[in-house]
Amino acid sequence: MKISVAGTGYVGLVTGVCLAEHGHTVTCVDIDERKVALMESGVSPIYEPGLEELMKKNKDRLHFTTNYQQAYRDADVIFIGVGTPEKKDGSANLTSVYQVAEQIAESVENDCVVVIKSTVPIGTNDKIESFIEASLQRDVNVYVASNPEFLSQGSAVKDTLNASRIVIGVENEAAGDVLQTVYKDFKAPIVVTNRKSAEMIKYASNDFLALKISFINEIANLCEIIGADIEDVAKGMGFDKRIGDQFLKAGIGYGGSCFPKDTKALHWLANFHDYELKTVKAAIDVNENQKLKLLKKSRKYYDRLTGLNVAVLGLTFKPGTDDLREAPTLVNIPLMIEDGANVRAWDPVGMENFKKVHPEGVTYCSSIEEALQEADICFIFTEWEEIKATSLDKYRTLMRRPIVIDGRNCYRLADADKAGILYDSIGRETISQTETSFV
Ligand code: UGA
């Protein structure tokens, strides 16, 4: 099929590349000429395992352009995968989606199906269809279908090629058939429903996962108070298939471009309809508090961080991505700097992006060891494999005072016990086997 994709962020680019991998001819459209030139040369503008390999492998079927008219003119299907960022009030900003819809209406010369992959508030697909219909320049039929995306950053290609499910929201049978054909070689259960239900499936899925994380974080906080161990608690819960063992990892809260935005957007939408979504509101509030948990813990050891060498390991919102959106470090590092700390940060791929936000005030280190050198305290924000593989002895030998506050439970307590460090993690006992007590 002849497919065009609007937007080359995580959703758009990965969708385009995976559709090309399944034999479709795909043209990806973006407004950024520099980015388009880069992708045309086979280079991915985002860090995503396996993506560049597939771009190279399918280069004959995969094209990149800024010329939307040409791309949309005779496409069978046009996917919209542009961003829907959060507005100040928590609602979703749909400016880019409408812009693309307008360009589609102006360009299409044949009947086609427009597929909205971007996460959009319930009811948006209906509005976009009416908007396109009203703006069409030629006598053609354009059907809008909802086809939400469930990929995670860091495993986006794998998640798309081995999708857990494909959700198709349509009001028109023919449009549903077109999408079934697009996905005929994907081995995943297909759920066909109406557009509003498809839009809701996306929000409800993300918000449920966010809720699960906030729930386990609250249980972790209680474990610390009563002396239980969250890792064992989560393991014991996870064997129950009704609960499941995923997304029960306690930490410093969820970040990224999806959960924070989608929880707020659904809460906003419910409010707009005079309904209070209490569980989602609780997930949001718990998450805001959890983000600051490490700094609060540090107060047990130092009244202030003024003049201290502070090692920060991990900057991104999770491992496997260079994305910093809503990463807990974005709130915590400015507070450390404000407190007068000498912040020495390390991240395997996130430093370049962090530098753009904080070109000054942070020393960027080329290795974990360099960050730990002479540190008075160390905060772990992201569970990168490189951090987990770093021996706890290094903290003892390199740091001035081996106080490690781990927001991602990267180490086993038994190992911390032997290492002669002060190790304070999430939802577990604090290990204080240091020669000198800092508490
Ligand atoms: C999330 C969903 O997992 C995807 O299914 C969805 O398609 C995507 O949003 C989206 O809407 O586009 P993503 O934001 O890439 O994917 O990342 P996740 O792996 O879900 O992690 C989100 C945050 O939750 C991270 O900060 C992570 O550290 C945190 N998390 C995750 C926990 O704190 N504990 C867990 O057990 C799992």
Side-chain angles (χ1 to χ4, degrees):
M1 277 190 146
K2 198 160 179 222
I3 296 177
S4 288
V5 181
T8 58
Y10 282 94
V11 172
L13 181 57
V14 174
T15 301
V17 172
C18 291
L19 289 171
E21 170 71 4
H22 274 301
H24 299 293
T25 303
V26 180
T27 305
C28 297
V29 183
D30 203 286
I31 46 171
D32 186 337
E33 279 183 22
R34 194 194 50 86
K35 214 169 139 189
V36 164
L38 199 71
M39 292 183 287
E40 264 296 303
S41 69
V43 178
S44 166
I46 52 171
Y47 172 80
E48 199 54 62
L51 186 60
E52 220 164 74
E53 285 86 330
L54 286 190
M55 283 170 75
K56 291 199 170 97
K57 183 177 163 205
N58 295 294
K59 66 178 183 344
D60 295 341
R61 278 197 291 266
L62 193 56
H63 311 284
F64 298 92
T65 182
T66 53
N67 187 337
Y68 64 84
Q69 276 132 332
Q70 220 167 53
Y72 302 153
R73 187 160 48 211
D74 57 350
D76 300 308
V77 183
I78 304 170
F79 280 87
I80 302 184
V82 293
T84 53
E86 184 185 318
K87 286 205 272 193
K88 276 207 176 81
D89 62 1
S91 64
N93 182 340
L94 298 175
T95 312
S96 302
V97 176
Y98 273 96
Q99 222 158 33
V100 172
E102 197 171 359
Q103 292 169 347
I104 291 172
E106 171 199 323
S107 312
V108 287
E109 293 176 8
N110 297 338
D111 292 358
C112 69
V113 178
V114 169
V115 185
I116 302 191
K117 262 215 170 288
S118 308
T119 303
V120 290
I122 293 120
T124 303
N125 274 261
D126 294 355
K127 289 185 190 149
I128 294 288
E129 188 170 88
S130 311
F131 176 81
I132 293 179
E133 239 166 52
S135 323
L136 279 172
Q137 310 274 309
R138 297 175 187 83
D139 185 20
V140 291
N141 292 313
V142 176
Y143 300 107
V144 170
S146 165
N147 173 221
E149 184 50 65
F150 301 103
L151 60 82
S152 292
Q153 283 178 227
S155 56
V157 171
K158 195 171 111 252
D159 292 347
T160 306
L161 292 177
N162 308 294
S164 54
R165 74 288 207 193
I166 290 163
V167 174
I168 297 175
V170 280
E171 304 296 326
N172 169 291
E173 208 177 310
D177 291 345
V178 170
L179 272 173
Q180 299 256 15
T181 311
V182 168
Y183 286 115
K184 73 177 175 13
D185 292 332
F186 286 69
K187 288 179 184 55
I190 294 186
V191 179
V192 182
T193 179
N194 62 33
R195 289 193 294 224
K196 282 187 178 155
S197 305
E199 292 167 327
M200 182 56 114
I201 289 171
K202 171 66 188 180
Y203 275 108
S205 300
N206 270 7
D207 289 17
F208 184 78
L209 293 172
L211 224 137
K212 210 172 167 188
I213 297 169
S214 277
F215 177 79
I216 204 68
N217 283 338
E218 278 220 289
I219 297 294
N221 295 344
L222 189 58
C223 281
E224 280 179 27
I225 298 167
I226 61 164
D229 185 310
I230 192 62
E231 296 295 321
D232 292 343
V233 171
K235 188 173 169 192
M237 290 167 65
F239 281 112
D240 186 329
K241 286 200 173 60
R242 292 168 304 173
I243 298 172
D245 61 0
Q246 300 198 18
F247 280 70
L248 281 183
K249 185 100 189 79
I252 41 166
Y254 55 78
S257 60
C258 310
F259 291 168
K261 163 175 82 74
D262 295 347
T263 42
K264 286 182 210 151
L266 196 63
H267 183 255
W268 183 93
L269 186 91
N271 266 348
F272 182 76
H273 291 284
D274 287 331
Y275 185 81
E276 211 207 331
L277 216 44
K278 289 187 181 141
T279 49
V280 174
K281 175 77 170 66
I284 297 168
D285 292 344
V286 169
N287 200 57
E288 285 308 306
N289 282 332
Q290 201 70 11
K291 270 192 200 166
L292 296 170
K293 177 127 181 131
L294 299 195
L295 271 187
K296 279 187 201 140
K297 276 179 181 282
S298 75
R299 298 285 178 244
K300 287 194 264 173
Y301 313 112
Y302 296 111
D303 287 340
R304 297 199 61 185
L305 297 175
T306 322
L308 299 182
N309 287 338
V310 173
V312 169
L313 302 186
L315 294 169
T316 54
F317 80 95
K318 68 171 189 177
T321 176
D322 61 354
D323 198 331
L324 291 170
R325 281 177 286 180
E326 298 284 336
T329 46
L330 288 176
V331 209
N332 283 281
I333 290 185
L335 290 173
M336 293 175 191
I337 297 172
E338 208 178 291
D339 209 15
N342 173 23
V343 179
R344 300 171 56 77
W346 174 87
D347 189 287
V349 295
M351 291 197 289
E352 280 314 309
N353 283 343
F354 208 86
K355 262 184 216 168
K356 287 178 199 154
V357 198
H358 285 286
E360 280 159 28
V362 176
T363 305
Y364 295 95
C365 301
S366 54
S367 66
I368 293 175
E369 288 77 7
E370 193 187 327
L372 293 178
Q373 202 75 46
E374 292 297 302
D376 297 290
I377 191 165
C378 168
F379 293 99
I380 301 177
F381 280 100
T382 321
E383 66 276 35
W384 285 102
E385 284 306 320
E386 292 89 331
I387 300 172
K388 292 202 245 172
T390 300
S391 154
L392 282 163
D393 292 339
K394 289 227 168 116
Y395 296 84
R396 191 190 60 247
T397 53
L398 294 172
M399 292 173 73
R400 192 150 59 190
R401 298 174 115 195
I403 302 178
V404 180
I405 309 201
D406 180 359
R408 297 294 184 183
N409 292 359
C410 291
Y411 293 100
R412 286 173 356 116
L413 286 190
D415 295 335
D417 210 10
K418 287 187 229 131
I421 60 169
L422 191 153
Y423 181 69
D424 196 343
S425 53
I426 304 287
R428 302 190 290 182
E429 174 197 352
T430 299
I431 302 290
S432 182
Q433 298 293 338
T434 47
E435 281 150 30
T436 345
S437 171
F438 302 116
V439 188

